[in-house]
Amino acid sequence: MLNILYVFGGEKASGAEKVIERLINHNLEVVKPHLFVAPGSYADELVSRNGDIKITIVNPLKKLNRSSSAKFTFFWQAITNNLKVAAQVIKYINRNQIDIVHANTIVPAFYLIPAVTYFKVFNKKIKFIWSDHDLKYFSAFENKLAQLAFKIFDRTLVVSDAVKAKYANSKKVLTLYNGINLSEFTPNETSKNLFRTKHGFTEHQIVIGLAGTIEPRKGQLQLIKIFENLNKTSPEARLVLAGPPSADHQQYVNEVLNAVNSDLHVTYLGKISDMPEMYNGCDILINNSNLTGSEPLGTTIYEAMAIKKIVIASNTGGSPEIITDNTDGYLFECNDQNALLKKLEYVIGNFSYLNHVREHAREKVFRKFNIDTMTDQYNSILSSF
């Protein structure tokens, strides 16, 4: 059994943390996991959920707020934390006979750079890998760090070929698609009826959903405008938006909420905890991400596909790696409102004749995006060292 030290930097749970946590828990027969995690609400959740896994809270793993610090102060603190984390990692590896260290996202990868350098000199048997979940980073500094991590880590695991394109063609960069538990994301008529009853939707209405943080890159406002035109030809259609408001885009959030309040056929649910129930309650799921906010790999796309829902997504980022257009879902030209409207009109007009698309959707997820597939591929990567 391999001893793997996983290093998490998220103080709050994001998709990146949830994906690797799912992988860890699904792989306990092959891997003995150890976790280093930044303090915060996610660390508290991890400790409460994973009593059998050794979890260490590491204060210097906290992500620094660059915008609120002077440049010198930021870099001094970053270097200090970098050395503190590295020292703790080196000590832990030697005491616990760790075989592989897996950093999840760029922040913990950055903090591990001195440790990687140390073991390349003193013990090359220890291997280092990191996961890149982002098409691009917000700062040039982070983009440079990603290229540095690619060079010095033994493997870079990316969530899609779209993310892989950032790097030079190298055997060190491997695509590992995120996997979901298909027993959790499965068609459920009871769940569907509960959702519709709770939110006042009838059996005969076509419910269209979009799940994501309320921010410009997700395209909620654009979708509401498209929906106004759709309602002229499909008055039975209803639009449901789910997701927390972004603290960084308050004006956009206000515009979306005002648009929701002015249209009786549009409902905003806020942040919801039961995503399978929402997917079951909807008939069509939209991913309207724009070019500047392309999805590395749209989680809501394959989760809804697993529940045999018709998914319509913009053909940007990793979305074309999930959907084969007109086979297991539908793609439209990104930022083209008319193209999305036509896809919606087609799907609604042919809604009763698309069972083959629904079946192919779940088959695609079973083959490519389920946790069993991800675990098998991950273990193949580990055994390649």
Side-chain angles (χ1 to χ4, degrees):
M1 180 172 282
L2 289 170
N3 277 301
I4 299 185
L5 173 60
Y6 293 90
V7 184
F8 284 10
E11 296 165 49
K12 297 180 180 179
S14 68
E17 282 72 40
K18 291 177 181 177
V19 164
I20 301 302
E21 184 187 354
R22 187 186 304 131
L23 174 64
I24 291 170
N25 287 318
H26 203 72
N27 205 25
L28 295 176
E29 292 182 2
V30 175
V31 167
K32 182 179 179 180
H34 306 246
L35 268 68
F36 273 19
V37 61
S41 58
Y42 183 55
D44 297 337
E45 292 173 21
L46 277 173
V47 171
S48 65
R49 284 199 300 264
N50 300 279
D52 297 331
I53 298 175
K54 190 170 183 180
I55 300 174
T56 304
I57 309 299
V58 182
N59 287 320
L61 276 173
K62 292 182 69 172
K63 187 174 182 180
L64 301 175
N65 191 337
R66 193 175 185 184
S67 62
S68 64
S69 304
K71 191 173 183 179
F72 175 80
T73 303
F74 171 82
F75 282 107
W76 176 254
Q77 189 64 60
I79 293 169
T80 302
N81 286 4
N82 190 280
L83 294 175
K84 286 180 179 178
V85 171
Q88 195 165 342
V89 165
I90 291 169
K91 186 183 294 185
Y92 192 93
I93 288 173
N94 290 329
R95 285 182 176 176
N96 294 274
Q97 298 180 319
I98 299 297
D99 301 296
I100 297 171
V101 181
H102 184 162
N104 189 35
T105 73
I106 188 60
V107 173
F110 163 66
Y111 285 138
L112 284 175
I113 287 174
V116 178
T117 305
Y118 173 89
F119 280 104
K120 283 189 177 295
V121 174
F122 295 105
N123 187 353
K124 293 183 179 179
K125 289 183 179 180
I126 309 300
K127 302 300 181 182
F128 288 81
I129 61 181
W130 77 288
S131 294
D132 189 349
H133 300 259
D134 294 282
L135 276 172
K136 58 185 177 181
Y137 296 100
F138 293 110
S139 71
F141 178 66
E142 287 178 316
N143 285 312
K144 288 178 181 178
L145 283 180
Q147 292 299 322
L148 177 60
F150 154 66
K151 290 177 182 177
I152 70 170
F153 276 69
D154 296 290
R155 297 286 187 274
T156 296
L157 308 184
V158 295
V159 296
S160 66
D161 289 342
V163 176
K164 188 176 183 179
K166 294 192 303 186
Y167 300 102
N169 186 17
S170 170
K171 293 181 180 179
K172 290 174 60 178
V173 184
L174 301 168
T175 299
L176 180 68
Y177 289 120
N178 296 339
I180 60 173
N181 191 329
L182 285 170
S183 63
E184 179 183 357
F185 293 90
T186 190
N188 186 306
E189 196 67 21
T190 300
S191 183
K192 172 184 176 179
N193 293 335
L194 282 172
F195 179 86
R196 288 184 173 244
T197 299
K198 187 189 305 181
H199 300 291
F201 300 123
T202 69
E203 179 183 351
H204 301 291
Q205 289 171 334
I206 301 293
V207 180
I208 302 165
L210 186 151
T213 302
I214 307 299
E215 56 186 349
R217 71 186 187 92
K218 295 293 186 179
Q220 290 93 348
L221 198 58
Q222 182 190 56
L223 180 58
I224 292 172
K225 293 177 181 177
I226 293 169
F227 186 75
E228 291 174 0
N229 290 323
L230 179 69
N231 253 170
K232 296 173 183 177
T233 56
S234 303
E236 76 284 9
R238 298 292 182 269
L239 178 61
V240 175
L241 304 178
S246 170
D248 298 323
H249 301 279
Q250 192 57 55
Q251 182 177 344
Y252 179 81
V253 170
N254 291 339
E255 290 176 0
V256 170
L257 296 180
N258 288 336
V260 169
N261 292 333
S262 64
D263 193 327
L264 295 175
H265 296 157
V266 183
T267 302
Y268 173 53
L269 305 180
K271 183 179 180 180
I272 60 175
S273 57
D274 193 342
M275 292 305 299
E277 183 184 84
M278 178 188 170
Y279 296 136
N280 271 292
C282 293
D283 299 295
I284 302 168
L285 196 285
I286 303 293
N287 183 292
N288 192 33
S289 296
N290 59 32
L291 286 173
T292 58
S294 300
E295 301 285 354
L297 192 72
T299 304
T300 59
I301 295 174
Y302 54 80
E303 286 179 346
M305 288 170 64
I307 298 179
K308 296 186 179 181
K309 297 301 173 177
I310 302 294
V311 180
I312 305 174
S314 57
N315 62 347
T316 184
S319 299
E321 296 172 51
I322 307 173
I323 292 176
T324 301
D325 192 28
N326 295 312
T327 299
D328 44 45
Y330 298 91
L331 297 171
F332 64 93
E333 193 65 32
C334 187
N335 291 349
D336 188 335
Q337 295 187 34
N338 192 50
L340 174 53
L341 178 60
K342 286 183 177 179
K343 289 286 185 178
L344 277 165
E345 289 175 338
Y346 172 81
V347 169
I348 292 174
N350 295 275
F351 192 74
S352 300
Y353 306 101
L354 299 178
N355 282 339
H356 62 289
V357 176
R358 299 179 181 92
E359 294 296 333
H360 287 154
R362 184 165 173 85
E363 289 170 8
K364 169 71 74 65
V365 178
F366 180 84
R367 184 173 70 253
K368 196 171 180 180
F369 301 104
N370 90 63
I371 188 60
D372 293 323
T373 301
M374 182 186 187
T375 303
D376 289 344
Q377 292 175 345
Y378 182 70
N379 290 338
S380 294
I381 293 168
L382 299 182
S383 66
S384 69
F385 289 121

